[in-house]
Amino acid sequence: MASVTVDYNVCVCFQVVQSIEDHHLEVIALCRENGFHGLVAYDSDYALCNIPYYFSAHALKLSRNGKSLTTSQYLMHEVAKQLDLNPNRFVIFASLLGNHILPDEDLAAFHWSLLGPEHPLASLKVRAHQLVLPPCDVVIKAVADYVRNMTDFSDLEAIANDIFRHSQSRTDDKVVRFKKAVEYYSAASKSQHFSPYQGKFTHLTFSLYLTALFSPSQANPTVTSPVVIGHLNAQIPSLLSMPTRNHMDITSPPLPMVAPEVLRVAQHRHKKGLMYPYIYHILTKGEIKLSVTIEDEANQELPSAVQLFRPIRQYVYGVLFSLAEAKKKAERLAMRRNRLPEYPPVAVKEWAAYKGKSPHTPELVEALSFREWTCPNLKKLWLGKAVEDKNGRMRAFLACMRSDAPAMLNPACVPTQLLVLCCVLRFMLQWPGVRVLRGKELDAFLAQALSPKLYEPEQLQELKIDNLDPRGVQLAALFMSGVDMALLANDVCGQPIPWEHCCPWMYFDGKLLQSKLIQAIRDKAPLIDLCDGQVDQVNKVKKMRQSILEGLNFSPPPPPHPHAMPFYPPGGAFYPPPHMMPLQGRGRSMGMPRLPSMSSQGGKLEIAGTVVGQWAGIRRGRGRGGFPIQVVSVGGPNRGSSFMSKKKYIYVRSNMSNVVSHKSLGPFLTRT
């Protein structure tokens, strides 16, 4: 590779487009139609496409002052020298390394035959009926030698028969696929305009090792056009139409019909880069591939991003396929036929890797509709122009984010540019398991979003962070995954939030968040310090915090009977409520010990020898003698230890109207 530096001092605007059929062929066609001088990418398939200059996206670096870009240039003539291979044979060479048309599993027998029985790796060939593939660097050299020694590289039929002479199944099918693979790379290497074939994101084992073959600091490359070998009339298959391994795939129910005008809009927005890339793929294929995030598999405190934000996607799937409208139609039909409604299942195939989950098998995730209201169909959300349609878009987005609360739409409480931030944080707080986001951490997220440093790149660059907290890093990764899902939901619901208010850099910076978390948790700084001493920022944080927490219940529901008051350990808000203490006289039948009955003259409660509460008795008639105050002790030396060891929680009942507040007991109660 050769090092390339570009200096620029002008503002550059970029046009964004997205592929819809075949990524490589469409990108190449775009380059040729617009007369581009080169391509910046990180995929070896482009190296075979006869483009003037090919630069590495992996090596792309922006200078500290922001005035120059540095990258490396791929030199294909050096690749040819290293392989000792004529460039006009590259299309066959690439096809024999395997791609989405002819996978390397179908070429395994051929690759092993090139190594021969005397090769040191021959003993790894096949063991216990399990397919083992040779290392890629060994295969690359062996295939290059094979292609170099071909006498006639234009006779594809003869080449295919020789390649698959060791094949024991589907030989004819493999021959056809080999020819299609060669045609695919031949079409990509043509210099004239061509129509994109159907296919998607081809992947070569070649791409993992091609970079290692490049030689550095060389002269400008001499680009040699590969010779086009044959012309096949057969259609190049799409990657998504290719059969997958049975043990990897699962069967999903058929997708509901989508209105043609909706599909046209989706295709247009997808091509122009105006819509989240997941959406068109979900609508047409019913599957999604989720990105990997920073997660600690050993950490049981935080859920994985895939699991945490899956409910958002489930609501999104319901909106995309107009599930609420479909259910209404099913109910009306059932009423006319006097039978129970039948709801056809709607599920999307999710490919993802997270704690305890292999990436090789997808999961079927059910689409959900909102319980609180009937969401408009996708056509109205995307194309409706009435005022109620605009309101429906915003409500659908907030419902997907579980943030359909009045304060979220009040700009005085939640600034519009911070709505995505607050929705994601509110959603994270509603995880039914452990507490994902603690109070100080919530304040840190809000304080960094309001900090003036967020808009000062030089100050952020000079900011030093010592001893990063692993939990803080994972929280930041979780938050950004949530933003990703929020942007997906926003586009699905008709983009009620404009793009300029969705950009993450307007409300989040990872380094700034870490500094706020250190202040809040490690240094135990008050909120005024988190807000850099600015009182107006403190007030804004408090308003946003109150809006985020509005309607969220972090304590168990009230007891059904006024004489049974449960007490919970501190910080146990997300634990499920325990069974209530039965009424007096039923404890033994339930296998639970009774607490001593309380005297009508009053009493006091001791825990670990400390009086934590007391109550007055009911006044008796005159002339009656008084009774001593009754003491109920729990814990402490020789007091109540047997009761503590038997029960998970402690309950105190009284026939009096006054009961001790559970807040006063918090520091003393523990789970056993």
Side-chain angles (χ1 to χ4, degrees):
M1 288 188 287
S3 179
V4 179
T5 302
V6 179
D7 293 324
Y8 61 93
N9 292 297
V10 295
C11 180
V12 181
C13 296
F14 298 95
Q15 180 184 4
V16 178
V17 295
Q18 293 182 139
S19 60
I20 199 166
E21 293 176 347
D22 186 286
H23 182 71
H24 297 103
L25 298 183
E26 290 182 53
V27 169
I28 297 164
L30 184 70
C31 291
R32 292 172 181 166
E33 289 170 359
N34 293 274
F36 293 154
H37 298 295
L39 178 68
V40 180
Y42 190 55
D43 193 322
S44 61
D45 277 7
Y46 292 121
L48 306 172
C49 296
N50 193 25
I51 52 180
Y53 297 98
Y54 182 27
F55 304 104
S56 170
H58 181 71
L60 190 65
K61 294 180 181 179
L62 179 65
S63 65
R64 187 165 183 173
N65 59 11
K67 293 185 178 180
S68 64
L69 282 172
T70 302
T71 186
S72 300
Q73 179 183 349
Y74 292 127
L75 304 173
M76 290 310 297
H77 70 286
E78 289 299 323
V79 176
K81 287 182 181 179
Q82 292 290 328
L83 295 174
D84 190 19
L85 190 64
N86 193 318
N88 62 4
R89 300 193 178 195
F90 273 176
V91 290
I92 294 181
F93 174 67
S95 302
L96 293 182
L97 290 174
N99 62 3
H100 72 286
I101 301 173
L102 184 67
D104 49 5
E105 289 86 352
D106 290 343
L107 292 163
F110 166 65
H111 291 163
W112 280 115
S113 69
L114 295 179
L115 302 186
E118 303 300 325
H119 195 277
L121 298 176
S123 61
L124 299 176
K125 188 174 182 181
V126 177
R127 291 181 178 176
H129 304 288
Q130 293 181 355
L131 181 64
V132 180
L133 301 176
C136 291
D137 53 346
V138 176
V139 171
I140 287 175
K141 184 179 184 303
V143 172
D145 294 341
Y146 177 84
V147 175
R148 185 190 315 114
N149 295 325
M150 284 180 180
T151 55
D152 184 5
F153 62 89
S154 62
D155 190 350
L156 297 183
E157 187 72 27
I159 296 173
N161 290 333
D162 182 63
I163 291 170
F164 299 114
R165 69 179 187 275
H166 301 285
S167 180
Q168 299 179 356
S169 63
R170 300 188 298 111
T171 302
D172 294 340
D173 177 62
K174 293 175 184 176
V175 170
V176 172
R177 290 179 185 274
F178 167 71
K179 294 178 180 178
K180 290 180 178 179
V182 173
E183 175 65 15
Y184 181 87
Y185 292 117
S186 298
S189 64
K190 294 177 182 177
S191 58
Q192 65 270 22
H193 169 70
F194 56 91
S195 300
Y197 290 96
Q198 290 182 348
K200 185 77 170 178
F201 297 101
T202 57
H203 170 73
L204 278 177
T205 308
F206 184 40
S207 64
L208 299 176
Y209 287 89
L210 187 60
T211 307
L213 298 175
F214 294 144
S215 178
S217 304
Q218 300 290 335
N220 289 334
T222 302
V223 182
T224 305
S225 300
V227 175
V228 178
I229 305 176
H231 293 278
L232 300 179
N233 295 325
Q235 185 75 7
I236 302 296
S238 166
L239 174 62
L240 298 174
S241 69
M242 303 295 289
T244 55
R245 302 169 185 161
N246 293 331
H247 71 275
M248 290 177 58
D249 209 355
I250 56 178
T251 303
S252 57
L255 296 176
M257 293 294 296
V258 181
E261 54 266 44
V262 170
L263 280 179
R264 284 196 295 270
V265 171
Q267 187 180 65
H268 170 76
R269 292 179 179 176
H270 183 85
K271 282 185 174 181
K272 298 297 183 181
L274 302 175
M275 188 175 67
Y276 212 83
Y278 289 161
I279 297 175
Y280 186 75
H281 200 64
I282 295 171
L283 282 173
T284 56
K285 302 299 179 181
E287 63 181 326
I288 185 174
K289 184 178 180 181
L290 300 171
S291 302
V292 179
T293 58
I294 299 176
E295 293 178 354
D296 183 3
E297 291 190 356
N299 186 348
Q300 301 301 320
E301 291 184 354
L302 297 173
S304 67
V306 173
Q307 294 172 305
L308 176 60
F309 298 109
R310 177 165 283 167
I312 297 179
R313 296 193 300 276
Q314 289 183 278
Y315 289 128
V316 163
Y317 303 153
V319 174
L320 273 177
F321 294 109
S322 304
L323 194 59
E325 185 180 77
K327 285 189 174 182
K328 273 193 170 182
K329 289 182 179 179
E331 290 168 359
R332 289 196 296 264
L333 182 62
M335 288 183 64
R336 288 199 300 266
R337 297 181 178 179
N338 195 22
R339 63 176 64 175
L340 293 175
E342 296 180 359
Y343 303 113
V346 178
V348 172
K349 194 182 299 182
E350 289 189 353
W351 297 84
Y354 55 90
K355 302 174 188 177
K357 165 68 175 61
S358 168
H360 301 298
T361 305
E363 295 174 286
L364 278 182
V365 178
E366 181 184 8
L368 297 178
S369 58
F370 307 126
R371 294 181 179 179
E372 297 80 8
W373 68 299
T374 302
C375 181
N377 60 39
L378 195 61
K379 183 178 177 181
K380 292 198 70 176
L381 286 175
W382 285 13
L383 304 176
K385 297 181 180 179
V387 175
E388 58 267 22
D389 296 327
K390 296 180 181 179
N391 295 336
R393 294 183 189 111
M394 180 58 76
R395 187 172 183 186
F397 168 75
L398 293 177
C400 286
M401 300 301 298
R402 290 182 178 172
S403 299
D404 195 5
M408 299 298 286
L409 288 176
N410 185 356
C413 299
V414 178
T416 308
Q417 68 272 18
L418 301 181
L419 180 58
V420 171
L421 167 89
C422 293
C423 287
V424 173
L425 294 176
R426 180 181 170 92
F427 187 91
M428 293 172 68
L429 285 167
Q430 298 179 66
W431 176 250
V434 296
R435 189 74 174 266
V436 173
L437 207 57
R438 299 163 185 164
K440 290 287 188 180
E441 294 164 345
L442 177 60
D443 288 346
F445 270 99
L446 298 178
Q448 66 88 32
L450 294 171
S451 174
K453 294 180 182 177
L454 195 63
Y455 305 100
E456 299 293 339
E458 294 182 357
Q459 291 189 33
L460 289 177
Q461 199 166 33
E462 299 298 327
L463 187 62
K464 303 297 182 183
I465 306 295
D466 297 325
N467 299 324
L468 282 176
D469 178 29
R471 177 179 168 86
V473 174
Q474 292 185 70
L475 280 177
L478 275 179
F479 173 77
M480 285 306 299
S481 296
V483 170
D484 197 41
M485 293 298 101
L487 300 185
L488 168 64
N490 185 57
D491 282 2
V492 166
C493 296
Q495 300 174 342
I497 305 177
W499 166 244
E500 57 268 20
H501 294 157
C502 291
C503 304
W505 53 87
M506 300 296 294
Y507 47 81
F508 180 76
D509 180 83
K511 186 190 288 188
L512 186 57
L513 173 66
Q514 298 304 319
S515 68
K516 299 296 183 183
L517 286 173
I518 291 173
Q519 280 183 278
I521 299 173
R522 192 180 305 171
D523 301 337
K524 302 187 184 304
L527 183 57
I528 186 68
D529 290 345
L530 288 182
C531 296
D532 303 320
Q534 301 297 317
V535 179
D536 60 332
Q537 289 187 32
V538 172
N539 294 331
K540 291 179 181 178
V541 167
K542 288 181 178 179
K543 287 181 179 180
M544 284 196 292
R545 183 209 296 154
Q546 184 177 359
S547 302
I548 291 171
L549 299 177
E550 180 186 12
L552 299 185
N553 184 17
F554 297 107
S555 59
H561 196 281
H563 297 304
M565 175 63 71
F567 297 100
Y568 298 91
F574 282 99
Y575 287 104
H579 297 293
M580 291 301 181
M581 178 69 77
L583 296 178
Q584 195 79 351
R586 298 183 181 177
R588 296 191 184 277
S589 63
M590 297 292 291
M592 300 176 69
R594 293 182 183 177
L595 283 173
S597 59
M598 307 292 175
S599 169
S600 60
Q601 291 300 110
K604 63 182 179 180
L605 176 66
E606 290 182 5
I607 296 183
T610 303
V611 178
V612 297
Q614 60 185 8
W615 56 91
I618 298 177
R619 293 183 179 180
R620 297 281 187 175
R622 293 183 181 180
R624 294 204 175 207
F627 294 90
I629 294 178
Q630 185 170 355
V631 177
V632 180
S633 298
V634 180
N638 301 323
R639 291 182 179 180
S641 58
S642 61
F643 180 74
M644 286 288 290
S645 64
K646 290 181 180 178
K647 292 296 118 190
K648 197 173 184 180
Y649 295 90
I650 301 171
Y651 307 93
V652 178
R653 296 192 299 104
S654 172
N655 57 357
M656 314 306 301
S657 59
N658 299 344
V659 287
V660 182
S661 170
H662 71 280
K663 292 183 179 178
S664 64
L665 294 176
F668 301 97
L669 296 180
T670 56
R671 296 185 67 204
T672 58

